[in-house]
Amino acid sequence: MKNLEQSNYSSALQTVRDLKAKYGTTWDTISPESAARMAIQNRFKTGLDIAKYTAAIMRKDMAEYDANASNYTQSLGSWHGFVAQQNIIAVKKHHKTTSKRYIYLSGWMVAALRSEFGPLPDQSMHEKTTVPALIKEIYDFLRQADAIDLNDLFRRLEKGEDVQDQIDNFETHIVPIIADIDAGFGNEEATYLLTKKMIEAGACAIQIENQVSDAKQCGHQDGKVTVPHEDFLSKINAIRYAFLELGVDDGVIVARTDSEGASLTQKLPVSTEPGDLASQYLAFVEAEEITIAAAKEDDVLLKRDGKLVRPVRLANGLYQFKEGTNIDRVVLDCITSLQNGADLLWIETPTPNVKQIAHMVNRIREVVPTAKLVYNNSPSFNWTLNFRNQAYDEMLAAGKDMTGYDRGNLMDAKYDDSDLCRRADDRIRTFQMDSSKEAGIFHHLITLPTYHTTALHMNDLTQGYYGEEGMLAYVKGVQRQEIRKGVACVKHQRMAGSNLGDDHKTFFAGDKALKADGAKNTSDQFESKKTEQKRELVLEK
C-alpha cells in the first residue's frame, strides 16, 4: 500500500482498484474513490515524513535568503494545535501561500501554559515530554486542516463544480516548526533522546541554548549561567546524530547564545594547549592577581600571562565574567557553533536595535560569511518606547527642535500623532525588512504573540459581556467580525471535523450512517447566500 502515500489522486485510485482485484469479494464494500480521497487528504503518514518535508523547505529558504536578503522568513509562537492551525489557515487566506511562513514552538509558553505542574516560569521545570507532545498536536491540527479543506473540495467536485485543479495543486497547511529544546534538559545523552522524540513528532529544526541546563533562565531575565563551548558543542553533536539516525539529513540546528546578558559560568573548562577554546573561555573570567602566600585554603587559582590569579567566585560557587566581555563572548559563541555543526544562530539582545544586531553579525561574518540569525521579535521588549527613543536620538542628532517632547515620558498617548511617533512606528513596521538586509536575520519570530492576544481579547470580551453590553459584546466583538472577515472557525462544527466525519461515516456505513449535517444543523445559518446562489448557477450550467 506504499503507493497510497502519493498525493496524486489517480495513482491512489488505481492502487486501491488493484488491491480490490487482489483480495476479491471480501473487499466489495470498499470504494476505491473513497479510499483514494482519504489517502490524499492525509498526505503525511508519520512525523518523520513531516520532518523530512519541512527540513527541505527550510534548506531551500536558507539558500534563497543567501541569494537575496529580502527573502526572509517569519513565524508566530503557538501553544496549542488549534492556535497553530488558525494561524496557518489565516496565512493561506490572506497571503495565498504558506511560503516562508513557519511556526515557532516556545519553551516559555510550554512552561507557562502546558505543564502538568500548572503555570511555571521559563526555567526548564516542565516535563520534557510536553514539547514533542505539542509538536505532534500542532501537526495533527494542521493535517486536519488539510483534510477539511480537501473534503470540502471533493464535496464541491461531486456537485459538479470545476475544482479538480484546486485538488491537484492543493497547498498543504504543513509548514516547518522551529522547536525550542531549552538547554537540552540534561546532559548530551538526554538532549539526544529528547531530540529524537521531537523529530519523530515532526520537528525539522531544533533550537538549543548555551545555558546550564539545571540553572536555565528566560533569555530576557537576569541570572543566566552559560556553559563552556565544549559542553555546548557536544549537545549540537547530539542533535545532529539524532537527525542522521532518523534519516532527516537536512535537519536544522539553531544555536542560541545567551552570553549578551549572561554574566556567570558554572564551570572552568580544562585547557590543554594555549589558545584553545577552553583557554579563550577562561580568559573572559574575572580574576584578581594573587600570591601563593595570600591564597586561602581550597582556593581555585589560574596561571594567566605568567601571573597567578584567583577567579572571582560567588557564594553559590558560580564564577563571574569580566564586565564588558559580553559581545566578544557572543561573537565567539556564534563562530564556534557554526564551525561545529550549527546551521543558524540566535542572539538574545537587550533591545530591538538594527545597528546593535548588525555590529555583532558583521563580526561573525568576517569569519563565517554565510552566518544567519533566527531573531526573537520579543514581547519582552517595549517596542513603542524603544523605537521612540531611537527616533528621538536621530531627530536630536539631525538638529530637530525636541523641546515639545518629555524624554522621560515618551509612552504618553499625547505623542501618538506626533512626528516622532510616526517615525518610530514606521521603523517598527520595516524592522524585519531592515534587519534582514542589514543584520543577517533569516527568520523573524514572535515567541509569545498568542499568549498576549488571548489575554487581550479575554480582557475586552469580559469587560463588555459581564457589563451593560451583555451578549452584544460577543456578537459585535467576535461573531460578527468572524462572519464579515470570513474566519474559518465561525463554523466551529466544521472546523472540529463534523463534515469530514459525516463523509467518512458514509464511506464506512453507506446509507445507514447517522450524520450530523442535516436540516436541523444550526451551522447552516453561517452559509453565505451569495456562495449558495453562485453554486446553484454553476450546477444549472
Side-chain angles (χ1 to χ4, degrees), residues 392 394-405 419-420 423:
Y392 186 99
E394 290 168 6
M395 292 169 70
L396 190 65
K400 300 284 186 180
D401 180 9
M402 306 302 290
T403 56
Y405 299 99
D419 183 36
L420 180 141
R423 288 171 181 254

Side-chain angles (χ1 to χ4, degrees), residues 66 79 123-124 197 235 321 343 510 525:
D66 287 340
W79 54 273
Q123 296 173 358
S124 289
K197 291 297 183 184
K235 292 188 176 182
F321 287 116
D343 302 294
Q525 297 172 24

Side-chain angles (χ1 to χ4, degrees), residues 146-208:
D146 278 0
I148 289 170
D149 275 6
L150 281 164
N151 191 65
D152 287 350
L153 287 171
F154 274 111
R155 281 187 166 194
R156 291 170 60 187
L157 187 68
E158 289 172 351
K159 292 178 179 178
E161 293 187 44
D162 184 15
V163 293
Q164 187 63 57
D165 186 63
Q166 293 182 51
I167 293 172
D168 293 340
N169 296 290
F170 182 79
E171 184 182 39
T172 177
H173 293 82
I174 298 294
V175 298
I177 287 179
I178 298 177
D180 185 0
I181 199 171
D182 283 7
F185 285 89
N187 61 24
E188 53 268 37
E189 174 69 2
T191 300
Y192 154 77
L193 293 171
L194 180 55
T195 298
K196 284 212 303 180
K197 291 297 183 184
M198 293 168 70
I199 298 168
E200 288 168 345
C204 72
I206 306 295
Q207 170 220 325
I208 186 166

Side-chain angles (χ1 to χ4, degrees), residues 3-213:
N3 288 340
L4 278 177
E5 295 177 8
Q6 299 177 12
S7 60
N8 184 280
Y9 177 76
S10 59
S11 297
L13 185 63
Q14 187 58 48
T15 298
V16 182
R17 285 173 175 166
D18 292 344
L19 287 169
K20 283 197 68 170
K22 176 181 178 181
Y23 289 106
T25 57
T26 59
W27 280 45
D28 279 354
T29 56
I30 299 298
S31 161
E33 290 76 14
S34 299
R37 174 171 157 180
M38 293 178 73
I40 71 166
Q41 286 175 187
N42 183 20
R43 174 180 173 184
F44 303 94
K45 312 308 181 192
T46 70
L48 283 178
D49 292 339
I50 292 172
K52 292 173 184 178
Y53 170 78
T54 53
I57 290 175
M58 281 197 70
R59 292 291 178 176
K60 176 177 176 290
D61 288 346
M62 290 160 66
E64 290 179 357
Y65 175 82
D66 287 340
N68 184 342
S70 66
N71 291 319
Y72 60 89
T73 57
Q74 300 167 292
S75 67
L76 295 172
S78 297
W79 54 273
H80 193 279
F82 177 73
V83 172
Q85 181 196 64
Q86 295 305 302
N87 172 8
I88 302 305
I89 287 174
V91 165
K92 286 189 70 174
K93 172 189 167 186
H94 293 294
H95 304 285
K96 310 308 177 188
T97 178
T98 62
S99 177
K100 306 225 170 3
R101 274 78 177 197
Y102 304 167
I103 290 169
Y104 181 65
L105 191 156
S106 160
W108 192 102
M109 284 208 287
V110 170
L113 299 171
R114 298 302 299 264
S115 172
E116 291 184 10
F117 291 106
L120 295 172
D122 184 20
Q123 296 173 358
S124 289
M125 294 191 290
H126 56 278
E127 309 84 353
K128 63 176 67 178
T129 54
T130 309
V131 179
L134 180 54
I135 296 169
K136 180 183 182 301
E137 175 182 293
I138 288 173
Y139 280 128
D140 283 346
F141 272 81
L142 294 182
R143 291 195 295 183
Q144 187 194 39
D146 278 0
I148 289 170
D149 275 6
L150 281 164
N151 191 65
D152 287 350
L153 287 171
F154 274 111
R155 281 187 166 194
R156 291 170 60 187
L157 187 68
E158 289 172 351
K159 292 178 179 178
E161 293 187 44
D162 184 15
V163 293
Q164 187 63 57
D165 186 63
Q166 293 182 51
I167 293 172
D168 293 340
N169 296 290
F170 182 79
E171 184 182 39
T172 177
H173 293 82
I174 298 294
V175 298
I177 287 179
I178 298 177
D180 185 0
I181 199 171
D182 283 7
F185 285 89
N187 61 24
E188 53 268 37
E189 174 69 2
T191 300
Y192 154 77
L193 293 171
L194 180 55
T195 298
K196 284 212 303 180
K197 291 297 183 184
M198 293 168 70
I199 298 168
E200 288 168 345
C204 72
I206 306 295
Q207 170 220 325
I208 186 166
E209 60 203 58
N210 68 337
Q211 289 192 49
V212 174
S213 185

Side-chain angles (χ1 to χ4, degrees), residues 325-432:
T325 63
N326 56 334
I327 302 303
D328 290 337
R329 285 185 279 123
V330 165
V331 172
L332 182 60
D333 292 344
C334 292
I335 292 172
T336 302
S337 296
L338 291 174
Q339 290 176 334
N340 290 273
D343 302 294
L344 296 169
L345 301 171
W346 175 312
I347 300 174
E348 286 288 4
T349 63
T351 62
N353 187 300
V354 175
K355 292 180 180 178
Q356 290 176 359
I357 302 167
H359 171 69
M360 291 183 282
V361 172
N362 289 337
R363 288 183 58 187
I364 297 163
R365 283 184 162 180
E366 289 174 6
V367 181
V368 186
T370 57
K372 294 180 282 296
L373 293 189
V374 170
Y375 188 74
N376 179 9
N377 293 213
S378 176
S380 292
F381 300 140
N382 184 331
W383 286 77
T384 301
L385 185 58
N386 270 294
F387 279 84
R388 287 185 181 184
N389 276 320
Q390 290 178 37
Y392 186 99
D393 289 337
E394 290 168 6
M395 292 169 70
L396 190 65
K400 300 284 186 180
D401 180 9
M402 306 302 290
T403 56
Y405 299 99
D406 177 4
R407 183 64 188 265
N409 195 30
L410 292 181
M411 277 294 294
D412 197 309
K414 69 182 180 182
Y415 296 130
D416 285 357
D417 294 322
S418 67
D419 183 36
L420 180 141
C421 174
R422 286 189 291 272
R423 288 171 181 254
D425 283 357
D426 192 55
R427 286 188 175 274
I428 293 172
R429 180 181 61 82
T430 63
F431 172 79
Q432 295 188 344

